[in-house]
């Protein structure tokens, strides 16, 4: 215990209780008056002397140890888990090897006008009112910058890395350059850490589940077989939560050599492990799991003749099999959905003699609502353009389908559904499909412009529509839509759509300006 | 042609962060018309919510502002918006001066002359001088009585045990010190009353502050101290020195780099502390600006710039607080070529300052060295002498230097160095 801590402990109970004080060093004696009146005076005199001595030595260890000294010596793993910066003291700095210095840059700094816009967007100011709008534009401009091999200036690294939204943070990491990535990895940094490329076995041995999962994911991307074998070694002694997380890592990047492991997972006690494994097996069209699903499809779906002679889709309930995801507690409809979602779309002609799209049109003996959503899952998983087009043509809009179909098709669907579509979540998925094609932009914009005197409900839909148009419209058309939104807003009226159009024009003008600054710079080939 | 400001300088003018944000939002061409710039005037019309646009004008030389909007913020968001627009290069030199702006500029020139003439201090009569001397003697006596009471209270607290101390006891003692006209120790007790009790360091912070207050009581009652130290003690007790008497002290001339600025809001006033560093004398200085809460804070010293000026240091050791006297020339950049003194020397200067004024909390230093990231957050000179780096700006320091050796300016405290500026390519750059 240091002298000061001792004095503080005595002061806490009071010199009335404890009058024996620690001895006075020669250095302290120089700073103290002689002959104190009372023990309390003596204590304060000594405390003042020690205070002066220790205040004069910043960082030098004279009893002011920082809160968590063990962190300073802790392994990289424990430090990585801690958000709390640890502070060095002089004693520990002595003799430590020189600190690493940031590597040389490989990207060029972005043009000043782009930087100025990003600076505004990262702050609270600028023309965009909501954080969501600012985030959308930031992600877009960072993507354009990354494609062109441009980075942010050093001055903006801290504000950029301090963004909290994970989607923006991921985009930020592409444009902070070598120095920004160096900064992001420093221990004690107040922001989220990028996925580490350094594989530290201590994290696997001693880390938390999250750290072990990161380790496993890094190892998996380097050596998939070794990663799987590493998991198999510890499987028996691993908690349910960790088993499910490890199975998920393997399943999300499954290849045929992982099938035995994943099949084994189906015999695990925990249903969370089954679920993770099923998600991997379903990606392997030649797996026994998918074969079992094919058998089930053959037996439980039949094409019979209906009462009027036409074909009719008949359904028998598949037997429950918890390991394959067919739980006894689920309905017929859900079980059929699970089976259908697991079948690659191209298999249907050989299974039932009809294409997936044709199956959608067959009258159903009993309604099977899950059939459509299961087909969507399957179409997205196998990137099946025919099935995707068939689904969209039947009015199904899903974020995953949009990249698979002709933009004109989505656009005509939007025009067909009309403004009421903005009421539902159906059109919200358009946003998740990323930037819109030009036809889709035109189609949505057309809907918005042709409602001069909307009802209050319609005005609310218009407001949503403008907000979406401002964020997702094709960049190449942003200036035109900015002008149209501006004149729409200026034309007057007092409904919610007017205000939204005005804000949309701000967003669109900014996106257009950024595009103008960046379009002249050619994209770098091979940029991530 | 005049020099555009940096956006940081515009930001520094905002009376509060809400105004800064609102100003930023107006920094786009949309709402503006009839903008123009003829050094030192900038003007424009801003379309607000009303029918008539607001006429906005700024004289960047002084600087002063005018806006026809009803806002009581000063400068208002329209002024800030116009300045941002200009600072970002969106207003070109030229344009037709609006009649309103021209009229205002003319009026301003004449009032400025008036102010200069008014500043002659009035002569005081002999009777007035005698009365003020009597008042001063009375105050000295009251302060001494207050300090004797404080020292008795401190020793009582230590006898009974600090664990029993309640925040309201500290507040009550602080109030008695205010009555005794000793605002210095009163403020320290108030700060102590606000310390979160749960923290592990609470007890040590309490004892440290009690010890320093005890030292102040003991020192103030001694009459065998050198004059310089007596001045320092009087300043710590809360005696103020009049502006006129400070300006009467012979000045120190140098080109002063503005190396740091920190704003804080205290009761009813905003305090802006500006750290200066003499480029030739290597003397540190602190200039304080007090402004009523919500009004424009003085922005004549901008971090990253330098000014060739006379500084009048307040009496007392170590010489730190100063007033700016004659200003000869301003430099938009502060250039710094020599490597900064090693960290060891920065620590030595802090120790010397602390020896002269044990109640000092921070001391501006320049230090040459390298930021260390392992172990986290230290600044070390080539000999391996290091101090911990404090504050959020550490990350900006690392971003700007990439961990390469450099010179930093900052506040040395008992816990380490809080960096405020860094030398990049020989330019003093605020963090």
């Amino acid at each position: 215990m240091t002298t000061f801590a001792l004095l503080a402990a005595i002061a806490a109970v009071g010199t009335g209780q404890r009058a024996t004080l620690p001895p006075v060093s020669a250095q302290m004696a120089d700073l103290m008056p002689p002959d104190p009146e009372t023990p309390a005076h003596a204590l304060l005199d000594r405390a003042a002397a020690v205070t002066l001595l220790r205040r004069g030595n910043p960082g030098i260890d004279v009893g002011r140890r920082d809160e968590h000294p063990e962190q300073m010596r802790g392994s990289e793993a424990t430090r990585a888990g801690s958000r709390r910066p640890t502070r060095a003291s002089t004693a520990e700095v002595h003799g430590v090897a020189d600190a690493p210095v940031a590597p040389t840059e490989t990207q060029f700094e972005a043009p000043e006008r782009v930087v100025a816009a990003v600076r505004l967007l990262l702050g609270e100011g600028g023309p965009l009112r909501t954080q969501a709008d600012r985030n959308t534009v930031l992600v877009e401009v960072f993507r354009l910058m990354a494609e062109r091999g441009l980075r942010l200036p050093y001055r903006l690294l801290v504000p950029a890395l301090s963004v909290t939204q994970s989607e923006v943070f991921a985009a930020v990491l592409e444009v902070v350059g070598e120095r920004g990535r160096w900064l992001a990895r420093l221990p004690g940094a107040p922001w989220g850490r990028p996925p580490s490329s350094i594989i530290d076995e201590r994290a696997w041995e001693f880390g938390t589940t999250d750290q072990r999962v990161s380790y496993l994911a890094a190892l998996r991307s380097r050596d998939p077989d070794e990663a799987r074998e590493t998991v198999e070694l510890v499987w028996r002694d691993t908690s349910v939560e960790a088993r499910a997380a490890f199975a998920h890592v393997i399943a999300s990047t499954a290849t045929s050599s992982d099938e035995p492991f994943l099949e084994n997972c189906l015999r695990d006690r925990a249903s969370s492990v089954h679920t993770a494994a099923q998600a991997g097996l379903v990606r392997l069209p030649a797996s026994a799991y998918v074969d079992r699903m094919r058998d089930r499809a053959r037996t439980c779906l039949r094409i019979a003749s209906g009462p009027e002679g036409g074909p009719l889709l008949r359904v028998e309930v598949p037997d429950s099999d918890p390991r394959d995801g067919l739980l006894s507690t689920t309905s017929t409809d859900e079980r059929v959905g699970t089976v259908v979602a697991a079948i690659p779309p191209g298999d249907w002609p050989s299974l039932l003699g009809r294409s997936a799209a044709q199956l959608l049109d067959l009258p159903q003996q009993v309604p099977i609502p899950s059939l459509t959503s299961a087909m969507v899952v399957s179409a997205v998983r196998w990137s099946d353009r025919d099935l995707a087009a068939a689904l969209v043509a039947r009015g199904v809009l899903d974020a995953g389908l949009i990249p698979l179909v002709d933009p004109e098709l989505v656009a005509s669907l939007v025009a067909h559904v009309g403004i009421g579509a903005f009421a539902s979540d159906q059109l919200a998925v358009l946003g998740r499909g990323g930037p819109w094609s030009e036809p889709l932009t035109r189609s949505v914009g057309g809907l918005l412009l042709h409602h001069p005197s909307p009802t209050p409900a319609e005005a609310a839909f218009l407001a949503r529509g403008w907000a979406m148009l401002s964020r997702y419209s094709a960049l190449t058309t942003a200036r035109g839509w900015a002008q149209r939104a501006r004149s729409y807003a200026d034309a007057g009226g007092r409904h919610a759509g007017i205000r939204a159009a005005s804000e949309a024009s701000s967003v669109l003008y900014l996106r257009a300006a950024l595009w103008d600054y960046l379009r002249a710079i050619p994209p770098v080939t091979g940029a991530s | 042609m005049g020099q555009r400001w940096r956006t940081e300088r515009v930001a520094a003018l905002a009376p509060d962060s809400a105004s800064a944000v609102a100003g930023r939002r107006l920094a786009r061409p949309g709402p503006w018309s009839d903008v123009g710039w003829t050094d030192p005037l900038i003007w424009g019309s801003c379309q607000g919510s009303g029918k008539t646009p607001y006429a906005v004008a700024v004289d960047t030389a002084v600087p002063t502002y005018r806006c026809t909007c009803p806002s009581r913020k000063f400068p208002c968001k329209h002024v800030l918006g116009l300045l941002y627009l200009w600072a970002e290069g969106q207003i070109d030199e030229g344009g037709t001066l609006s009649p309103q702006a021209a009229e205002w500029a003319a009026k301003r020139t004449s009032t400025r002359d008036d102010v200069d003439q008014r500043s002659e201090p009035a002569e005081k009569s002999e009777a007035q001088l005698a009365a003020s001397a009597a008042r001063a003697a009375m105050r000295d006596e009251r302060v001494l009585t207050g300090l004797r009471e404080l020292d008795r209270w401190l020793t009582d607290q230590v006898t009974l045990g600090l664990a029993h101390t309640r925040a309201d006891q500290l507040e009550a003692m602080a109030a008695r010190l205010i009555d005794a006209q000793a605002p210095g120790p009163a403020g320290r007790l108030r700060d102590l009353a606000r310390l979160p009790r749960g923290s592990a360091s609470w007890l040590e912070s309490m004892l440290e502050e009690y010890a320093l207050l005890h030292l102040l009581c003991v020192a103030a009652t001694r009459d065998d101290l050198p004059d310089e130290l007596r001045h320092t003690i009087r300043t710590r007790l809360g005696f103020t020195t009049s502006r006129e008497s400070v300006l009467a002290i012979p000045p120190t001339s140098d080109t002063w780099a503005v190396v740091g600025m920190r704003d804080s809001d205290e009761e009813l006033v905003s305090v802006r502390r500006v750290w200066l560093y003499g480029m030739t004398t290597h003397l540190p200085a602190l200039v304080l600006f007090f402004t009523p809460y919500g009004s424009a804070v003085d922005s004549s010293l901008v971090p990253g710039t330098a000014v060739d000026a006379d500084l009048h240091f307040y009496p007392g050791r170590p010489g730190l607080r100063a007033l700016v006297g004659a200003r000869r020339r301003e430099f938009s950049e502060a250039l710094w070529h020599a490597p900064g003194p090693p960290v060891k020397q920065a620590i030595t200067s802090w120790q010397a300052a602390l020896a002269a004024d044990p109640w000092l909390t921070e001391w501006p230093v320049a230090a040459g060295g390298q930021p260390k990231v392992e172990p986290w957050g230290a600044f070390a000179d080539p000999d391996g002498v290091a101090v911990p780096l404090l504050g959020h700006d550490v990350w900006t320091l690392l971003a700007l230097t990439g961990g390469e050796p450099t010179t930093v300016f900052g506040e040395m405290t008992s816990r380490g160095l809080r960096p405020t500026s860094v030398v990049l390519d020989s330019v003093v750059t605020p963090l």
Side-chain angles (χ1 to χ4, degrees), chain A residues 11-12 14-16 40 45 48 51 54-58 86-88 90 94 96 98 101-102 120 125-127 155 179 187 189, chain B residues 24-25 28 158-159 161-163 204 208 211 214 350-351 358 360 372 374 376 384 386 388 395 399-400 402 404 413-415 429-430:
Chain A
T15 50
D45 288 343
T51 297
R54 63 186 212 147
R55 291 187 76 217
N57 290 294
T86 56
R87 219 165 266 139
T90 310
H94 279 303
V96 166
D98 270 357
V101 166
L120 280 179
R155 178 57 80 173
R179 184 168 293 184
Chain B
R24 272 287 194 198
R25 206 165 276 148
R28 59 194 162 98
V158 171
T159 310
L162 298 188
E204 293 205 6
E208 188 164 281
H214 170 66
W350 155 251
Q351 287 169 340
L360 199 63
K372 299 281 181 181
E374 186 62 45
W376 187 83
W395 294 100
L400 295 181
E404 301 280 357
T413 72
S414 63
R415 299 179 63 97
T429 312

Side-chain angles (χ1 to χ4, degrees), chain A residues 102-175:
Chain A
T104 315
E105 295 297 346
T106 53
Q107 289 165 294
F108 293 105
E109 209 172 293
E112 178 49 37
R113 304 175 81 165
V114 177
V115 170
V118 171
R119 188 185 299 124
L120 280 179
L121 289 166
L122 286 172
E124 290 189 348
L128 307 194
R129 199 176 291 274
T130 69
Q131 189 62 50
D133 281 343
R134 291 195 285 270
N135 284 345
T136 308
V137 180
L138 278 174
V139 169
E140 182 171 72
V141 67
F142 289 160
R143 182 176 52 81
L144 293 172
M145 281 171 63
E147 284 167 5
R148 285 159 179 76
L150 299 172
R151 63 171 174 83
L152 292 172
Y154 297 148
R155 178 57 80 173
L156 286 185
L157 295 183
V158 171
L161 288 168
S162 303
V163 298
T164 49
Q165 221 240 341
S166 58
E167 195 194 346
V168 187
F169 187 73
V172 160
L173 286 177
E174 303 297 320
V175 294

